[in-house]
Amino acid sequence: PHDDLLTPAEWRVTELVRHGLTNSRIAAMLGVSADAVKFHVANAVLKLGLDGKAALKRWDGVSRASALHERKETMTTALGPIGQIAR
């Protein structure tokens, strides 16, 4: 059992999908079959209640193992959520 929404394998595949890689490229990078990648994508989409791989690519979730997961504050200034202005 995992304490996160997705399994570690599903997170690895999801992150690569979100970087725009194809299933065959993900399979080659991870050393698994293209069918394994399809399986993980399908599981992630189902668990997250998304409409498909395109929605998974746009999904903005963060793994519990990530330092970003613990980050509570958001960047706000008098300028709003921009956070930085170049001169």
Side-chain angles (χ1 to χ4, degrees):
H2 300 283
D3 66 341
D4 203 348
L5 190 57
L6 302 176
T7 67
E10 291 164 350
W11 271 114
R12 284 189 293 274
V13 170
T14 296
E15 290 300 327
L16 294 171
V17 166
R18 290 173 13 175
H19 279 88
L21 276 67
T22 63
N23 285 358
S24 58
R25 181 71 180 125
I26 294 169
M29 286 181 71
L30 298 178
V32 298
S33 70
D35 287 336
V37 173
K38 289 179 190 177
F39 177 78
H40 290 311
V41 168
N43 282 344
V45 166
L46 181 66
K47 286 180 180 181
L48 300 172
L50 301 173
D51 291 331
K53 188 176 176 183
L56 182 62
K57 186 175 180 180
R58 293 186 307 270
W59 182 66
D60 64 351
V62 177
S63 168
R64 287 183 191 234
S66 170
L68 293 174
H69 185 268
E70 298 300 321
R71 189 170 162 199
K72 302 288 188 226
E73 71 277 351
T74 58
M75 188 182 285
T76 58
T77 65
L79 301 172
I82 296 172
Q84 178 178 336
I85 292 190
R87 296 195 301 174

